[in-house]
Amino acid sequence: MYLPQQRPHHDIAALFAAAQPDFLRVSAPMVRYSKLEFRRLVRKNGVQLAFTPMMISESINNSEKARQNEFTTDPDDQPLIAQFAAKDSTEFVTSAQLIYPYVDGIDLNCGCPQSWAMSKGYGCGLLRQPERVREVVQQVRRTLPSDFSVSVKMRLLAGSEADSVERTIDLARQLEYAGVTFLTLHGRTPAQKHSKDTLNISAMEEVRKSLQIPLIVNGNVESWSDACELHAQTGAAGVMAARGLLANPALFNSDYPTATTTPLACVEQWLDIAAAARDNLLFQCFHHHLTFMWSSEMKRSLRVQFNSLSTKKQVVEFLGEHYNVRSSGPAPEPATYTDCTYTHFTPPRHARHIAAEAEELAWSSRSDGKFFTEFKAHQISNPAGVDLELGGLFGAEE
């Protein structure tokens, strides 16, 4: 069922204040994965602020198909931040105007370290042009109401350790002065790989101390204890998780403070959400999330069998037969979705945007993506579950 959007915006700054002295529990922007149905799951399990997947402004601004494919929401999907990869203020402001009625804030991705993104001027590529990042924030602040959240997700800037911290603080302060509501900081430079020993916690703490606005920190959050420890070490107003939430969507659920794997009840919630979503949740996304959540519980032979399943019905029967995992009750009513018509704003179309619809193919929800492909390969070749480093993640910076 589709309903028009009729809700007021949340005050995101007040959300941080309400969380004190604790920290705000935040679900990261994850291409392919932090879609509406997954946001429904993590909101049931302690997440207080959720991000959409990173979306490409050029595609969203110029393709109705991209808008309908890449963004869905519902009346309970709040508070919500939409994240965009944009090259300049024109692209970002256009995206902000389009998405404004349906979310509580907009976030500029300055943290994606993948080479394709940086080569196009997205993600960490923008960190090479701090004046452009500042201009983007200033322009969107001049365009939209002052109570609408504007934020930036970034990494530590490149340089020696002292220079990196100094440059990061300088940019963070410029963005604070330009009017951002909050910042999110991943504690690695663009060149640093995902491994526990590269996370610069002291740098995140120094950046936090330099600001008057809230700072969300992320990196290496794979359990509730990791989140609490990172908060204690940095004093940040919020803690964001990405990989950790994929492996355990109940990571922020205080009912499971010592859980190292996804609780059975959480897996059953996912089955219920999928049943209610009907055809709105593609099989591939449904199956991928269960692979992240539950494959560590499977012996290798069952994991291979699970990977060969091709329908939701087969998956539900497999989990019931082998693990006694079942939906919690009778078939749920169809889920409600907001009818995002975008009739309130017509984006300008420029000649250089004609190829935008081709661009969206790179972000097709039907493609597996690098992270999942590597994850599945490691699960097959590494049944003992040894922690192996995987490649770039979903356009998020975890």
Side-chain angles (χ1 to χ4, degrees):
M1 179 169 56
Y2 284 80
L3 298 174
Q5 180 82 344
Q6 295 291 337
R7 69 170 178 85
H9 293 117
H10 281 263
D11 183 338
I12 299 299
L15 196 66
F16 285 100
Q20 295 180 349
D22 202 352
F23 58 90
L24 201 66
R25 305 167 190 183
V26 186
S27 175
M30 295 177 278
V31 169
R32 297 183 180 87
Y33 298 122
S34 52
K35 291 182 176 292
L36 172 59
E37 291 78 17
F38 185 68
R39 298 196 298 268
R40 287 172 175 159
L41 180 64
V42 295
R43 289 188 195 278
K44 288 177 178 288
N45 288 280
V47 163
Q48 297 164 310
L49 178 64
F51 280 65
T52 68
M54 183 187 80
M55 297 176 280
I56 305 294
S57 278
E58 189 173 30
S59 291
I60 296 296
N61 295 351
N62 296 283
S63 169
E64 177 64 21
K65 180 180 177 182
R67 291 193 281 273
Q68 297 302 325
N69 285 347
E70 299 302 320
F71 177 75
T72 53
T73 188
D74 69 27
D76 296 321
D77 186 26
Q78 51 180 299
L80 178 64
I81 304 296
Q83 190 190 70
F84 287 92
K87 300 184 184 76
D88 55 43
S89 59
T90 299
E91 286 188 351
F92 190 70
V93 169
T94 300
S95 297
Q97 291 172 293
L98 275 168
I99 209 78
Y100 175 80
Y102 311 118
V103 300
D104 301 292
I106 186 166
D107 185 85
L108 178 65
N109 185 313
C110 292
C112 180
Q114 295 182 36
S115 58
W116 75 264
M118 294 180 66
S119 68
K120 291 176 177 290
Y122 298 136
C124 289
L126 282 172
L127 295 180
R128 300 167 178 164
Q129 306 174 74
E131 68 287 345
R132 178 169 292 184
V133 181
R134 184 179 66 249
E135 176 193 345
V136 169
V137 172
Q138 290 172 332
Q139 186 61 36
V140 78
R141 270 286 171 240
R142 286 193 287 265
T143 305
L144 293 177
S146 60
D147 60 352
F148 188 66
S149 179
V150 178
S151 56
V152 174
K153 189 175 192 301
M154 57 189 284
R155 284 189 167 227
L156 296 171
L157 274 68
S160 65
E161 182 162 353
D163 185 51
S164 171
V165 174
E166 181 179 349
R167 294 180 64 218
T168 304
I169 287 175
D170 180 61
L171 176 56
R173 284 175 168 168
Q174 289 185 51
L175 297 177
E176 178 179 33
Y177 183 75
V180 293
T181 307
F182 68 92
L183 291 171
T184 302
L185 179 63
H186 183 92
R188 296 181 177 89
T189 66
Q192 288 178 312
K193 302 296 183 182
H194 179 84
S195 61
K196 288 187 179 295
D197 58 358
T198 58
L199 192 71
N200 194 333
I201 294 172
S202 62
M204 290 192 286
E205 181 186 21
E206 289 188 54
V207 174
R208 192 272 303 169
K209 288 179 177 178
S210 74
L211 300 172
Q212 299 301 311
I213 57 172
L215 180 71
I216 297 172
V217 291
N218 97 293
N220 294 355
V221 179
E222 298 176 0
S223 67
W224 172 245
S225 61
D226 287 342
C228 293
E229 184 177 6
L230 190 59
H231 168 64
Q233 291 171 319
T234 63
V239 174
M240 176 183 283
R243 294 173 189 263
L245 277 175
L246 284 182
N248 177 15
L251 184 154
F252 285 127
N253 190 332
S254 58
D255 290 341
Y256 308 105
T258 61
T260 56
T261 58
T262 304
L264 179 64
C266 183
V267 179
E268 291 174 342
Q269 286 174 335
W270 181 240
L271 298 184
D272 289 340
I273 288 169
R278 305 292 201 270
D279 293 338
N280 291 292
L281 176 62
L282 296 177
F283 171 78
Q284 183 187 57
C285 185
F286 166 70
H287 187 263
H288 280 200
H289 277 296
L290 284 169
T291 302
F292 292 130
M293 287 184 226
W294 201 248
S295 62
S296 63
E297 301 295 318
M298 298 180 190
K299 293 181 179 179
R300 182 173 182 176
S301 59
L302 288 177
R303 188 179 300 145
V304 171
Q305 182 180 341
F306 179 78
N307 288 341
S308 71
L309 302 177
S310 59
T311 69
K312 292 180 185 178
K313 184 175 183 291
Q314 289 175 343
V315 169
V316 171
E317 290 174 349
F318 174 92
L319 292 175
E321 176 185 352
H322 295 287
Y323 301 100
N324 199 31
V325 177
R326 293 180 172 84
S327 297
S328 59
E333 292 295 318
T336 297
Y337 289 77
T338 297
D339 186 12
C340 300
T341 61
Y342 303 99
T343 55
H344 64 283
F345 177 72
T346 302
R349 188 170 178 84
H350 304 288
R352 71 184 181 89
H353 293 149
I354 299 301
E357 292 193 18
E359 179 78 27
E360 75 190 62
L361 293 176
W363 296 101
S364 171
S365 297
R366 299 178 186 275
S367 63
D368 274 348
K370 180 179 179 182
F371 179 74
F372 181 80
T373 300
E374 293 185 358
F375 179 89
K376 189 165 67 173
H378 285 317
Q379 289 293 322
I380 293 172
S381 63
N382 184 43
V386 178
D387 185 22
L388 297 174
E389 182 177 319
L390 300 179
L393 176 66
F394 3 92
E397 301 79 48
E398 180 72 10

